[in-house]
Every structure is written in C-alpha cells, then in structure tokens.
Amino acid sequence: MASTALFRRVLALPPHLRRSVYSSTATHTGASQPDIYDVVCIGGGPVGLSFVSALRSHPSTSALRVALIDSQDLSTARTTKDTETYSNRCSSITPASLRFLKQIGAWEHAKRGRTQPYHAMDVWDGVSGSKIHFDSVDQQQTGLLDAVAEMIPGSRFQASRRKYQVEDVGVATMCENANTTSALLQRLHDLDEERLNERRVFDMLEKTRVESIDLGPESKDEKSLDLSQWPIVTTSHGKIAARLLVGADGANSPVRQFADIPSPGWDYNQHGVVATLHVDRHHTVQDLRTAYQRFLPTGPVALLPLPGNKASLVWSTTPQHAAKLKTLSPPDFTAAVNAAFRLMPVDISYMLSPTSTTTPTDELAWRETATPAASTGLPRNFPRIASVQEGSIASFPLRMRHADTYTGHRIALIGDAAHTIHPLAGQGLNLGLADAESLAKRIAYGVDHGMDVGSCWTLDGYNSDRWAKNNAVIGVVDKLSKVYGVGSGPVVWGRSAGVEVLERLGTLKGWMMGAAAGVK
Amino acid sequence: MRKRTRPAVMNGQISQRTFQRLLALPPPLRLRTFSILNRPPPNYAGHVPLTLVERGALALGSAFGSLRNPHRHDLIASLGEATAKPYFISRLRKAMLANPTGRRILRDKPRITSQTMSLEWLRQLPDNTVGRAYAAWLDREGVTPDTRDQVRYIDDPEEAYVMQRYRETHDFTHAITGLPVIIEGELAVKAFEFANTLLPMTALSLVAVVRLKAAERKRFFETYLPWAVSNGLKAEEVVNVYWEEELETDVEVLRARLGIEVPPDLREIRKVLRDKNKADMAARDAKNRLGAGMGV
C-alpha cells in the first residue's frame, strides 16, 4: 500500500524530477555523471559559430543537442559603432563562403555598411614588375547572343539567356571578423527565440575554460551507460560528454592534441603585419573597388579595400622588418607602406634595416623621384596611403600546418585546428567555412539515415570531401610563397614569363579566379 | 619625309597595342620597339634613346673601333653604355643603393671635373694621402681630370649617373693601385674593375690583350691578371667610395679598408727591363765593333 502511494506521488512529480527518481542518467545530477550532448563544438570563432548555426538552421539537425564552448565572453565580440574605425582583423570572404553564410541566415545580420565587396584584383611582381589583373566584370557574359537578348526585354529568349548569366558577386567581400562573429551570434540568438516553446537543445557555454579532454570511465556494469569510447570535456562548470566532439579551437587545438592527430608543417620565417589605413580618396558604395597585392622577395604586401577611404593592410615580411615597422611613428609607417608598393625591393629593405640613418619619410621622398612607376609595375589607379589608424598595427607569425586527418572516433576538426595557411591568398577563413559547411551537411546526412553522428559512417565523408581540396590549396599557396621569395635569377624570369602568359589567356585566368572563389 | 605630329609618348602607347606587344617578353628582356622616326623624349640632358638594333650596332662598332685604336676613349665609353643594359648597370646601381655611402653618393650626385678637383690644393696635401697620391699619379702620367665623355645611351637617369660616376672615378682606381695609363696598365685596371663591378665593357676591353707584345702578354697573364681578379673579387665595391670625402685619408688605411693590395710597379719593371735591354744592346754593339776591328 505504501509503495503504491509512493508510486502515485512519484508519478505526480514533474517529468524531469520523475525521471531523476527512476533513471540512472539524470539531467541534474552531480559532477560524477557528465552531461551528454550530441555535438559539442569547442571554439566560438567564425568557423565554430557558422558550424553550429548550420546545424541549428538545418531541419534535420535542429533537434540535436548542441553545445558551444568558448573561453571568451562572446557577447562582447561586436563591432564598434564608430564608422571611422575598423578592426585590423578583417577577412576576405569568397562568393562560396558568402553563399554559405546567406544559406544559414547569418549574412543578413551582418552590418552591410561595414563590408566591402571588391570586383578587381591587381597582383604584380616586385622584382620584375610583371602584373596580372583579375576583373570579375570581365567574367560576365557579354557575348553577341546576350546583347541580342537584352534588346528584347521580357522575351523567352532573354529568360533562356538568363540561366547562363553568372551572378556578379565580385572577387570577394572584405568583412571584419567581429562583424561576421556578431552576425552569427545574432542568428543563433534568433533561432533560440524562434524555438522558445520547444525543448531547449542548444547551450552556449561562453566564458568556460576547457580544463581537459579525456575518454570516459569504464562502465561499472553491463546495464549502466558505457562512455569509455566517448570524449568527456572537463570544463570549469562541469563535465560534458560528446557524441561528436568538434574542434574549432584554433591552431593549437586541444581537441587535435587529445585525438593524437599529428599536424605536420613548417614555420615561414615571416610575420604578418596588419593595420587599418586611410587612403587619399573617398569611395562611395557604388564605386568598384580593387584589391592590390605586390610580391616582394621578403614576402607579399596586400592592400584590401574597406568602405569609404579605409583599407586593410596585410604585409608578410621578415621578423626583423616587422619589429622595425612596429616601432615606427605613424607618418613613418605610412611612408614605409607607400614605399612597399612603389619602391624597389633594395630600397624597402634599406628603409627597414636596423642600421638605416634616415627616416622612411625622407627616403620615400627621394627614392620616389628616382623610381618610375612603369618600371616597378605599379597599377595606374593605385591610391596613396594618407595615414594609419591609431593602435591598429599588429603582427603575428606565419606558419603552415595541415592535420594528417580531420576525423577520429567521435572527433572532427574544422578551421584553423585542421589547417593553417599563408595569408597571401586570403583563403584561411574561407577553407574553414567550407569545412564547417561540409561537416554540417555530413551530419545532416547521418541524422537522416539514422547513423550515429560520431561514427566513421558520418565522418569519413567529411574527411574525403575536404582533406584533398584543402591540401591542394595549401600546397599551391605554399609554392607561390616560395617561388616569389626568390629575389633574382632564372626563377624571376620564369615566373614573370608565366604571369605575362596567364594575363593574356582569358580562359585560364577565369578558371583560376573560379577556383580561388571556391565556386563549385 | 612626312613628319608625324602626334606626341612621341602617345605613339609609344599605340605601338604597344600592336601585335608585338602580345609577344613582348617581361620587362628585363623587353624589346624597345619604337620607330626611329619618332624617338621618345629624352629623360635627361644629352640622352639619346636607342632601339635594340641601334644599340647592338653601336656595341659592335665601338668594340672593333676601340680594338683598332685604343686611344679612342669615346668608343670605349659608348661600348660601355651599349652593353650595360639590361642587367649589369642595374646590378651596380642596386649595389650602390644597398650601401649607406653609395646611397649618399646617389643622393648628392657629385661630379669629378677639373673644376671640382683643384690640383693645386691636392698637390699640397700630405704625402701619404689619397688626394696627394691622385695628384702625383696625374702628374706622373701627364694627364688631367678632364671632363670625361657624358653618358648618352643609358635610359634611366640614375643609372646614367652611376655610369658617369664609374667613368669619373676610374682615375682614382689607377691612383691607388699605381698602375700607369699605358695599355698594359689599363688592361690590368680593367680586369680589376670587371671583377669588382661586373660591367661587360671591362671584360670586353680585355680582348685588347692581342695588341700586347709577347713579353707584355706573358707579364700580364702571370702577374697582373691574377692580381686583378683576386683583388677585384675580395675588395669592397670601389664605386661605393665617396672619393671627395676620402681625399685626406691615408692611402694605406683606405687600401686596407677596401681590401686592395698594390701590384708590382709596372713602370719600374718596364724601366728596369728597358735599361737592361739597352745595356745588352750596347754591350753587343761594342763587342761587334771590337770584333770587327780585330778582324775576328
């Protein structure tokens, strides 16, 4: 009798308390039993956030229990309201990545006034001056049939030509990393708001440090849960078990170390100096912008456009030059950047050597008169850098790493955890976003086909989809940096001849642009 | 002949748009294909832009002309200018730009002429100074720092100045090595300059070895050529020396700083040999006359 009354009282309890009485896997037990999630993503950068957004946006995977762990306070990852200052951490987002961000519904939350699409790219050799010009406007269909079709608007002929038109998305879009991150966070927040009535399945664990990652303990007996093959993440707030642990946690990924996946590679003897610059002319939203890159023997220097009169600098150079650049006063730094695009390599090296006795401003004023623009290959529309934004000069060491595999048992790596690349082609973030897209698709496929999302059935597809493509891009970028690291001799002649030929072969150039844009 | 009225620069652009532009090689090897009827404007006073064919003809003509008559310094000068591009004069200019003193020389662009080098002042300098050695050498050889030929056939004004500077400091190289202006001495200096500056004209002038007598040639290959090559290679770039500031420096100090050893004094050797020959000839003459008198 007493047991029936007790039983009835237990049944009267709310479900989660009822469960805790008769189930051994309670949701609110002590630290001994870890909280089980379907997907745990460690890393709240743009790649991790886009991966989680993709999972949450896709109908097949929106019911999975997902956790995102980051040690920083993600709510502060917002752009400033000030339209005059831009962060020095900007990325060039290719059309394919942009399509992914639009698909998951994050791009509409980005502050569009702070992004800058650009339609052309001028790349030239600092030693020989041979140049190549990429123009997405050229890639538009401008044949005879299209011209005829435009003359008969509303016709079926015009509609049939439309399907051959390539959407003009430009070469790429410059966007601050903080802008992308805040857009993704906003999307996640909106998705949570939409599904307020449903059971809460998404937990964003910010300001949570990962203390260790281990495999679970051996199960006590046959009936209790066996987590011995599951990764258990010990955080400052407790333990979390993951059916699939995704590492989006950067170049020194703890997830990759836990999985014992080697990541061979080498350090380039270069540092990337970034800064936000002001150029001499103001651009409106309608202006077509150009990105510029000059290959010097010490490393490439790139000027990427931002809205208005701003631009982002990425200059890969020797550690000694980078150290000197960071000690220069703002006018001298501006002169050094102008010199990097206009003067001969010997002058730039002299300007940044520790033993130079004259200021860069002085040297630039003299050497510019003696260096004709035509001989160095300077593009005609190249702007003059007027000043540098205060406090925006920073540098980071450059290296190349590629993980041997992206997956393990219940482990997947995306973004910088899987690969690190030279910034000369602006592909780092884009490869990461493509990884996130591919992994999310494979997880959706796994869920639709009843697979365990952490098993090799789901994950092998991700590895085979992304590893070879990333390897090819990393390899090509590495060889480019090595070929352009030579200062004189037959290699210079060979690469100049190659560039001149490529400049004149429109089809090959178009194919290259498509490959760089990640168009499938 | 119909005179074209379009400006030369625009014509240059039109010729660029032609078919030849498509086959143009990268800048270091680009053929300057502009019409001789419409030369581009000069880049500096006295500049004469040349086409590749004209430059080749100038090089060949100067080479053979100066071989036939080594006193034609204007032909040697034009040979130097015609063969300096595309790589050699650029390399020399970059070597100057990489050196702090060389950069100062390119900024100040000093010229060495009879006006800027006052011989009276140089003669009264102390004996062991560079300036005194220079003045002494000029007096010994009987030459003056007269204005050298102006550079005309090099297109870039800065590279033209580098060539002019090389030409004007050639006498200083003579002075600190002590080599005379006779062909043998000139060839030794040219060999040294080739090892030091890599200008093709200096190597091409060595063809004048065929004009030397057998004994001179032997002396050249045994002594002076090895000296020139080893010293030219190990010495600092002589074009980077700011001679106007080094006039009061001790010669030994400068030589030590540059890494140059003094070769055997050529005039002394020749004088000794000449005296010895004269003595031998006189002895033979005397013996003959004596022998004739004795009826032997």
mmCIF file of all heavy atoms in Angstrom, chain A residues 334-378:
data_model
loop_
_atom_site.group_PDB
_atom_site.id
_atom_site.type_symbol
_atom_site.label_atom_id
_atom_site.label_comp_id
_atom_site.label_asym_id
_atom_site.label_seq_id
_atom_site.Cartn_x
_atom_site.Cartn_y
_atom_site.Cartn_z
ATOM 1 N N THR A 334 53.351 55.052 -42.473
ATOM 2 C CA THR A 334 52.637 55.338 -43.726
ATOM 3 C C THR A 334 53.618 55.409 -44.891
ATOM 4 O O THR A 334 53.366 54.860 -45.968
ATOM 5 C CB THR A 334 51.891 56.674 -43.608
ATOM 6 O OG1 THR A 334 51.206 56.714 -42.366
ATOM 7 C CG2 THR A 334 50.920 56.874 -44.733
ATOM 8 N N ALA A 335 54.766 56.083 -44.661
ATOM 9 C CA ALA A 335 55.769 56.181 -45.726
ATOM 10 C C ALA A 335 56.308 54.797 -46.076
ATOM 11 O O ALA A 335 56.514 54.477 -47.248
ATOM 12 C CB ALA A 335 56.913 57.093 -45.284
ATOM 13 N N ALA A 336 56.512 53.966 -45.055
ATOM 14 C CA ALA A 336 57.034 52.623 -45.320
ATOM 15 C C ALA A 336 56.038 51.805 -46.134
ATOM 16 O O ALA A 336 56.429 51.055 -47.035
ATOM 17 C CB ALA A 336 57.354 51.912 -44.002
ATOM 18 N N VAL A 337 54.743 51.942 -45.839
ATOM 19 C CA VAL A 337 53.744 51.186 -46.598
ATOM 20 C C VAL A 337 53.668 51.697 -48.022
ATOM 21 O O VAL A 337 53.600 50.919 -48.979
ATOM 22 C CB VAL A 337 52.365 51.259 -45.914
ATOM 23 C CG1 VAL A 337 51.317 50.583 -46.761
ATOM 24 C CG2 VAL A 337 52.412 50.614 -44.553
ATOM 25 N N ASN A 338 53.710 53.014 -48.211
ATOM 26 C CA ASN A 338 53.738 53.553 -49.577
ATOM 27 C C ASN A 338 54.962 53.041 -50.311
ATOM 28 O O ASN A 338 54.902 52.679 -51.483
ATOM 29 C CB ASN A 338 53.756 55.083 -49.533
ATOM 30 C CG ASN A 338 52.360 55.675 -49.505
ATOM 31 O OD1 ASN A 338 51.484 55.210 -50.231
ATOM 32 N ND2 ASN A 338 52.156 56.666 -48.673
ATOM 33 N N ALA A 339 56.095 52.999 -49.603
ATOM 34 C CA ALA A 339 57.327 52.514 -50.221
ATOM 35 C C ALA A 339 57.204 51.054 -50.614
ATOM 36 O O ALA A 339 57.714 50.629 -51.659
ATOM 37 C CB ALA A 339 58.497 52.687 -49.259
ATOM 38 N N ALA A 340 56.503 50.270 -49.789
ATOM 39 C CA ALA A 340 56.391 48.832 -50.070
ATOM 40 C C ALA A 340 55.741 48.579 -51.410
ATOM 41 O O ALA A 340 56.007 47.576 -52.066
ATOM 42 C CB ALA A 340 55.587 48.152 -48.968
ATOM 43 N N PHE A 341 54.850 49.497 -51.829
ATOM 44 C CA PHE A 341 54.187 49.306 -53.115
ATOM 45 C C PHE A 341 54.899 50.004 -54.260
ATOM 46 O O PHE A 341 54.714 49.629 -55.410
ATOM 47 C CB PHE A 341 52.741 49.811 -53.038
ATOM 48 C CG PHE A 341 51.836 48.920 -52.255
ATOM 49 C CD1 PHE A 341 51.511 49.229 -50.950
ATOM 50 C CD2 PHE A 341 51.334 47.764 -52.818
ATOM 51 C CE1 PHE A 341 50.677 48.399 -50.222
ATOM 52 C CE2 PHE A 341 50.499 46.930 -52.091
ATOM 53 C CZ PHE A 341 50.170 47.247 -50.791
ATOM 54 N N ARG A 342 55.686 51.036 -53.961
ATOM 55 C CA ARG A 342 56.211 51.855 -55.046
ATOM 56 C C ARG A 342 57.700 51.712 -55.306
ATOM 57 O O ARG A 342 58.154 51.944 -56.419
ATOM 58 C CB ARG A 342 55.925 53.337 -54.741
ATOM 59 C CG ARG A 342 54.480 53.677 -54.845
ATOM 60 C CD ARG A 342 54.187 54.989 -54.124
ATOM 61 N NE ARG A 342 52.770 55.118 -53.917
ATOM 62 C CZ ARG A 342 51.899 55.595 -54.815
ATOM 63 N NH1 ARG A 342 52.346 56.028 -55.968
ATOM 64 N NH2 ARG A 342 50.618 55.641 -54.551
ATOM 65 N N LEU A 343 58.485 51.404 -54.301
ATOM 66 C CA LEU A 343 59.935 51.439 -54.479
ATOM 67 C C LEU A 343 60.492 50.059 -54.826
ATOM 68 O O LEU A 343 59.831 49.050 -54.696
ATOM 69 C CB LEU A 343 60.608 51.946 -53.195
ATOM 70 C CG LEU A 343 60.235 53.348 -52.746
ATOM 71 C CD1 LEU A 343 61.103 53.750 -51.574
ATOM 72 C CD2 LEU A 343 60.377 54.344 -53.871
ATOM 73 N N MET A 344 61.770 50.041 -55.180
ATOM 74 C CA MET A 344 62.450 48.782 -55.483
ATOM 75 C C MET A 344 62.717 48.012 -54.194
ATOM 76 O O MET A 344 62.890 48.629 -53.130
ATOM 77 C CB MET A 344 63.788 49.076 -56.161
ATOM 78 C CG MET A 344 63.632 49.761 -57.495
ATOM 79 S SD MET A 344 65.175 49.846 -58.394
ATOM 80 C CE MET A 344 66.110 50.967 -57.414
ATOM 81 N N PRO A 345 62.781 46.692 -54.253
ATOM 82 C CA PRO A 345 62.997 45.911 -53.029
ATOM 83 C C PRO A 345 64.247 46.323 -52.253
ATOM 84 O O PRO A 345 64.236 46.308 -51.018
ATOM 85 C CB PRO A 345 63.115 44.475 -53.547
ATOM 86 C CG PRO A 345 62.318 44.466 -54.796
ATOM 87 C CD PRO A 345 62.471 45.822 -55.407
ATOM 88 N N VAL A 346 65.314 46.721 -52.959
ATOM 89 C CA VAL A 346 66.536 47.099 -52.248
ATOM 90 C C VAL A 346 66.282 48.345 -51.387
ATOM 91 O O VAL A 346 66.801 48.459 -50.266
ATOM 92 C CB VAL A 346 67.713 47.297 -53.233
ATOM 93 C CG1 VAL A 346 67.437 48.420 -54.211
ATOM 94 C CG2 VAL A 346 69.002 47.567 -52.501
ATOM 95 N N ASP A 347 65.458 49.264 -51.881
ATOM 96 C CA ASP A 347 65.147 50.469 -51.105
ATOM 97 C C ASP A 347 64.297 50.143 -49.889
ATOM 98 O O ASP A 347 64.490 50.714 -48.808
ATOM 99 C CB ASP A 347 64.392 51.482 -51.987
ATOM 100 C CG ASP A 347 65.297 52.133 -52.996
ATOM 101 O OD1 ASP A 347 66.447 52.419 -52.643
ATOM 102 O OD2 ASP A 347 64.854 52.353 -54.142
ATOM 103 N N ILE A 348 63.335 49.240 -50.060
ATOM 104 C CA ILE A 348 62.462 48.876 -48.942
ATOM 105 C C ILE A 348 63.284 48.190 -47.851
ATOM 106 O O ILE A 348 63.129 48.479 -46.660
ATOM 107 C CB ILE A 348 61.330 47.958 -49.427
ATOM 108 C CG1 ILE A 348 60.521 48.653 -50.508
ATOM 109 C CG2 ILE A 348 60.425 47.562 -48.279
ATOM 110 C CD1 ILE A 348 59.643 47.712 -51.291
ATOM 111 N N SER A 349 64.173 47.278 -48.269
ATOM 112 C CA SER A 349 64.996 46.582 -47.279
ATOM 113 C C SER A 349 65.899 47.555 -46.550
ATOM 114 O O SER A 349 66.105 47.440 -45.344
ATOM 115 C CB SER A 349 65.859 45.521 -47.957
ATOM 116 O OG SER A 349 65.033 44.602 -48.598
ATOM 117 N N TYR A 350 66.430 48.543 -47.294
ATOM 118 C CA TYR A 350 67.302 49.509 -46.635
ATOM 119 C C TYR A 350 66.518 50.348 -45.634
ATOM 120 O O TYR A 350 66.976 50.619 -44.532
ATOM 121 C CB TYR A 350 67.961 50.416 -47.680
ATOM 122 C CG TYR A 350 68.912 51.394 -47.057
ATOM 123 C CD1 TYR A 350 70.210 51.012 -46.728
ATOM 124 C CD2 TYR A 350 68.516 52.693 -46.739
ATOM 125 C CE1 TYR A 350 71.079 51.881 -46.127
ATOM 126 C CE2 TYR A 350 69.383 53.577 -46.131
ATOM 127 C CZ TYR A 350 70.659 53.168 -45.826
ATOM 128 O OH TYR A 350 71.513 54.039 -45.212
ATOM 129 N N MET A 351 65.295 50.728 -46.028
ATOM 130 C CA MET A 351 64.463 51.570 -45.165
ATOM 131 C C MET A 351 64.155 50.873 -43.851
ATOM 132 O O MET A 351 64.068 51.501 -42.803
ATOM 133 C CB MET A 351 63.155 51.840 -45.914
ATOM 134 C CG MET A 351 62.378 53.011 -45.438
ATOM 135 S SD MET A 351 60.825 53.081 -46.303
ATOM 136 C CE MET A 351 61.265 54.046 -47.705
ATOM 137 N N LEU A 352 63.961 49.543 -43.905
ATOM 138 C CA LEU A 352 63.569 48.816 -42.706
ATOM 139 C C LEU A 352 64.741 48.141 -42.007
ATOM 140 O O LEU A 352 64.531 47.405 -41.049
ATOM 141 C CB LEU A 352 62.520 47.760 -43.066
ATOM 142 C CG LEU A 352 61.226 48.335 -43.617
ATOM 143 C CD1 LEU A 352 60.283 47.211 -43.981
ATOM 144 C CD2 LEU A 352 60.555 49.239 -42.601
ATOM 145 N N SER A 353 65.957 48.371 -42.503
ATOM 146 C CA SER A 353 67.086 47.727 -41.833
ATOM 147 C C SER A 353 67.387 48.485 -40.555
ATOM 148 O O SER A 353 67.145 49.688 -40.458
ATOM 149 C CB SER A 353 68.299 47.707 -42.748
ATOM 150 O OG SER A 353 68.824 49.011 -42.862
ATOM 151 N N PRO A 354 67.928 47.795 -39.553
ATOM 152 C CA PRO A 354 68.176 48.489 -38.276
ATOM 153 C C PRO A 354 69.256 49.556 -38.374
ATOM 154 O O PRO A 354 69.320 50.438 -37.532
ATOM 155 C CB PRO A 354 68.591 47.360 -37.334
ATOM 156 C CG PRO A 354 68.930 46.211 -38.186
ATOM 157 C CD PRO A 354 68.198 46.353 -39.465
ATOM 158 N N THR A 355 70.117 49.492 -39.427
ATOM 159 C CA THR A 355 71.231 50.436 -39.495
ATOM 160 C C THR A 355 70.937 51.648 -40.364
ATOM 161 O O THR A 355 71.810 52.452 -40.609
ATOM 162 C CB THR A 355 72.478 49.741 -40.076
ATOM 163 O OG1 THR A 355 72.107 49.192 -41.347
ATOM 164 C CG2 THR A 355 72.961 48.649 -39.166
ATOM 165 N N SER A 356 69.714 51.804 -40.835
ATOM 166 C CA SER A 356 69.472 52.965 -41.696
ATOM 167 C C SER A 356 69.457 54.235 -40.861
ATOM 168 O O SER A 356 68.934 54.269 -39.747
ATOM 169 C CB SER A 356 68.144 52.810 -42.426
ATOM 170 O OG SER A 356 67.071 53.087 -41.567
ATOM 171 N N THR A 357 70.034 55.288 -41.405
ATOM 172 C CA THR A 357 70.210 56.523 -40.637
ATOM 173 C C THR A 357 69.147 57.568 -40.971
ATOM 174 O O THR A 357 68.955 58.517 -40.228
ATOM 175 C CB THR A 357 71.589 57.128 -40.930
ATOM 176 O OG1 THR A 357 71.767 57.125 -42.345
ATOM 177 C CG2 THR A 357 72.685 56.333 -40.274
ATOM 178 N N THR A 358 68.454 57.395 -42.099
ATOM 179 C CA THR A 358 67.447 58.386 -42.479
ATOM 180 C C THR A 358 66.060 57.848 -42.173
ATOM 181 O O THR A 358 65.866 56.646 -42.082
ATOM 182 C CB THR A 358 67.553 58.697 -43.980
ATOM 183 O OG1 THR A 358 67.590 57.457 -44.675
ATOM 184 C CG2 THR A 358 68.778 59.497 -44.286
ATOM 185 N N THR A 359 65.084 58.773 -42.056
ATOM 186 C CA THR A 359 63.714 58.327 -41.766
ATOM 187 C C THR A 359 63.056 57.802 -43.034
ATOM 188 O O THR A 359 63.401 58.225 -44.140
ATOM 189 C CB THR A 359 62.869 59.489 -41.235
ATOM 190 O OG1 THR A 359 62.766 60.479 -42.252
ATOM 191 C CG2 THR A 359 63.442 60.075 -39.969
ATOM 192 N N PRO A 360 62.083 56.900 -42.870
ATOM 193 C CA PRO A 360 61.373 56.399 -44.061
ATOM 194 C C PRO A 360 60.705 57.495 -44.881
ATOM 195 O O PRO A 360 60.675 57.408 -46.115
ATOM 196 C CB PRO A 360 60.332 55.449 -43.451
ATOM 197 C CG PRO A 360 60.960 54.962 -42.207
ATOM 198 C CD PRO A 360 61.739 56.128 -41.678
ATOM 199 N N THR A 361 60.209 58.525 -44.218
ATOM 200 C CA THR A 361 59.545 59.603 -44.966
ATOM 201 C C THR A 361 60.534 60.274 -45.898
ATOM 202 O O THR A 361 60.255 60.536 -47.069
ATOM 203 C CB THR A 361 58.998 60.652 -43.975
ATOM 204 O OG1 THR A 361 58.531 59.979 -42.828
ATOM 205 C CG2 THR A 361 57.890 61.464 -44.589
ATOM 206 N N ASP A 362 61.714 60.537 -45.378
ATOM 207 C CA ASP A 362 62.786 61.159 -46.133
ATOM 208 C C ASP A 362 63.201 60.286 -47.314
ATOM 209 O O ASP A 362 63.335 60.738 -48.454
ATOM 210 C CB ASP A 362 63.959 61.321 -45.164
ATOM 211 C CG ASP A 362 64.937 62.338 -45.657
ATOM 212 O OD1 ASP A 362 64.516 63.258 -46.389
ATOM 213 O OD2 ASP A 362 66.121 62.201 -45.303
ATOM 214 N N GLU A 363 63.422 58.998 -47.020
ATOM 215 C CA GLU A 363 63.859 58.061 -48.054
ATOM 216 C C GLU A 363 62.816 57.949 -49.151
ATOM 217 O O GLU A 363 63.152 57.933 -50.335
ATOM 218 C CB GLU A 363 64.065 56.657 -47.458
ATOM 219 C CG GLU A 363 65.337 56.467 -46.677
ATOM 220 C CD GLU A 363 66.571 56.549 -47.546
ATOM 221 O OE1 GLU A 363 66.525 56.099 -48.710
ATOM 222 O OE2 GLU A 363 67.580 57.074 -47.070
ATOM 223 N N LEU A 364 61.552 57.864 -48.764
ATOM 224 C CA LEU A 364 60.480 57.735 -49.762
ATOM 225 C C LEU A 364 60.455 58.948 -50.663
ATOM 226 O O LEU A 364 60.342 58.835 -51.880
ATOM 227 C CB LEU A 364 59.129 57.544 -49.065
ATOM 228 C CG LEU A 364 57.933 57.455 -50.009
ATOM 229 C CD1 LEU A 364 57.972 56.164 -50.778
ATOM 230 C CD2 LEU A 364 56.632 57.550 -49.240
ATOM 231 N N ALA A 365 60.580 60.148 -50.055
ATOM 232 C CA ALA A 365 60.508 61.372 -50.854
ATOM 233 C C ALA A 365 61.605 61.383 -51.913
ATOM 234 O O ALA A 365 61.377 61.775 -53.064
ATOM 235 C CB ALA A 365 60.638 62.588 -49.937
ATOM 236 N N TRP A 366 62.805 60.926 -51.541
ATOM 237 C CA TRP A 366 63.913 60.935 -52.504
ATOM 238 C C TRP A 366 63.746 59.810 -53.529
ATOM 239 O O TRP A 366 63.809 60.050 -54.745
ATOM 240 C CB TRP A 366 65.242 60.765 -51.755
ATOM 241 C CG TRP A 366 66.380 60.440 -52.649
ATOM 242 C CD1 TRP A 366 66.664 61.027 -53.853
ATOM 243 C CD2 TRP A 366 67.381 59.460 -52.440
ATOM 244 N NE1 TRP A 366 67.779 60.464 -54.412
ATOM 245 C CE2 TRP A 366 68.249 59.499 -53.553
ATOM 246 C CE3 TRP A 366 67.659 58.552 -51.405
ATOM 247 C CZ2 TRP A 366 69.343 58.651 -53.670
ATOM 248 C CZ3 TRP A 366 68.747 57.720 -51.528
ATOM 249 C CH2 TRP A 366 69.577 57.774 -52.650
ATOM 250 N N ARG A 367 63.522 58.573 -53.045
ATOM 251 C CA ARG A 367 63.539 57.437 -53.956
ATOM 252 C C ARG A 367 62.378 57.425 -54.926
ATOM 253 O O ARG A 367 62.485 56.880 -56.023
ATOM 254 C CB ARG A 367 63.542 56.111 -53.157
ATOM 255 C CG ARG A 367 64.804 55.822 -52.399
ATOM 256 C CD ARG A 367 66.040 55.988 -53.232
ATOM 257 N NE ARG A 367 66.049 55.106 -54.385
ATOM 258 C CZ ARG A 367 66.845 55.274 -55.444
ATOM 259 N NH1 ARG A 367 67.672 56.286 -55.488
ATOM 260 N NH2 ARG A 367 66.798 54.419 -56.440
ATOM 261 N N GLU A 368 61.261 58.040 -54.509
ATOM 262 C CA GLU A 368 60.122 58.019 -55.429
ATOM 263 C C GLU A 368 60.421 58.794 -56.691
ATOM 264 O O GLU A 368 59.943 58.454 -57.765
ATOM 265 C CB GLU A 368 58.896 58.603 -54.737
ATOM 266 C CG GLU A 368 57.702 57.723 -54.927
ATOM 267 C CD GLU A 368 56.445 58.305 -54.364
ATOM 268 O OE1 GLU A 368 56.497 58.837 -53.246
ATOM 269 O OE2 GLU A 368 55.425 58.203 -55.052
ATOM 270 N N THR A 369 61.220 59.863 -56.571
ATOM 271 C CA THR A 369 61.551 60.632 -57.772
ATOM 272 C C THR A 369 62.437 59.822 -58.698
ATOM 273 O O THR A 369 62.463 60.053 -59.900
ATOM 274 C CB THR A 369 62.280 61.929 -57.393
ATOM 275 O OG1 THR A 369 63.426 61.586 -56.608
ATOM 276 C CG2 THR A 369 61.389 62.848 -56.584
ATOM 277 N N ALA A 370 63.209 58.892 -58.143
ATOM 278 C CA ALA A 370 64.149 58.139 -58.976
ATOM 279 C C ALA A 370 63.593 56.793 -59.420
ATOM 280 O O ALA A 370 64.279 56.057 -60.106
ATOM 281 C CB ALA A 370 65.448 57.912 -58.209
ATOM 282 N N THR A 371 62.358 56.443 -59.011
ATOM 283 C CA THR A 371 61.793 55.142 -59.381
ATOM 284 C C THR A 371 60.554 55.373 -60.233
ATOM 285 O O THR A 371 59.499 55.690 -59.709
ATOM 286 C CB THR A 371 61.382 54.348 -58.116
ATOM 287 O OG1 THR A 371 62.423 54.445 -57.171
ATOM 288 C CG2 THR A 371 61.135 52.897 -58.448
ATOM 289 N N PRO A 372 60.664 55.226 -61.560
ATOM 290 C CA PRO A 372 59.483 55.428 -62.397
ATOM 291 C C PRO A 372 58.455 54.329 -62.163
ATOM 292 O O PRO A 372 58.810 53.158 -62.044
ATOM 293 C CB PRO A 372 60.029 55.378 -63.824
ATOM 294 C CG PRO A 372 61.348 54.756 -63.722
ATOM 295 C CD PRO A 372 61.851 54.896 -62.344
ATOM 296 N N ALA A 373 57.177 54.714 -62.077
ATOM 297 C CA ALA A 373 56.116 53.771 -61.735
ATOM 298 C C ALA A 373 56.010 52.656 -62.769
ATOM 299 O O ALA A 373 55.684 51.523 -62.442
ATOM 300 C CB ALA A 373 54.789 54.502 -61.609
ATOM 301 N N ALA A 374 56.293 52.973 -64.027
ATOM 302 C CA ALA A 374 56.132 51.953 -65.073
ATOM 303 C C ALA A 374 57.117 50.809 -64.878
ATOM 304 O O ALA A 374 56.798 49.654 -65.153
ATOM 305 C CB ALA A 374 56.337 52.586 -66.439
ATOM 306 N N SER A 375 58.320 51.132 -64.387
ATOM 307 C CA SER A 375 59.325 50.073 -64.281
ATOM 308 C C SER A 375 59.017 49.123 -63.131
ATOM 309 O O SER A 375 59.400 47.963 -63.170
ATOM 310 C CB SER A 375 60.713 50.669 -64.089
ATOM 311 O OG SER A 375 60.785 51.279 -62.824
ATOM 312 N N THR A 376 58.312 49.580 -62.093
ATOM 313 C CA THR A 376 58.001 48.675 -60.988
ATOM 314 C C THR A 376 56.657 47.985 -61.173
ATOM 315 O O THR A 376 56.289 47.165 -60.345
ATOM 316 C CB THR A 376 57.968 49.426 -59.646
ATOM 317 O OG1 THR A 376 57.088 50.529 -59.790
ATOM 318 C CG2 THR A 376 59.329 49.897 -59.234
ATOM 319 N N GLY A 377 55.917 48.328 -62.225
ATOM 320 C CA GLY A 377 54.643 47.661 -62.469
ATOM 321 C C GLY A 377 53.502 48.190 -61.625
ATOM 322 O O GLY A 377 52.476 47.528 -61.498
ATOM 323 N N LEU A 378 53.645 49.386 -61.045
ATOM 324 C CA LEU A 378 52.584 49.930 -60.194
ATOM 325 C C LEU A 378 51.309 50.161 -61.012
ATOM 326 O O LEU A 378 51.358 50.798 -62.049
ATOM 327 C CB LEU A 378 53.061 51.261 -59.603
ATOM 328 C CG LEU A 378 52.153 51.896 -58.553
ATOM 329 C CD1 LEU A 378 52.295 51.138 -57.248
ATOM 330 C CD2 LEU A 378 52.511 53.356 -58.350
#
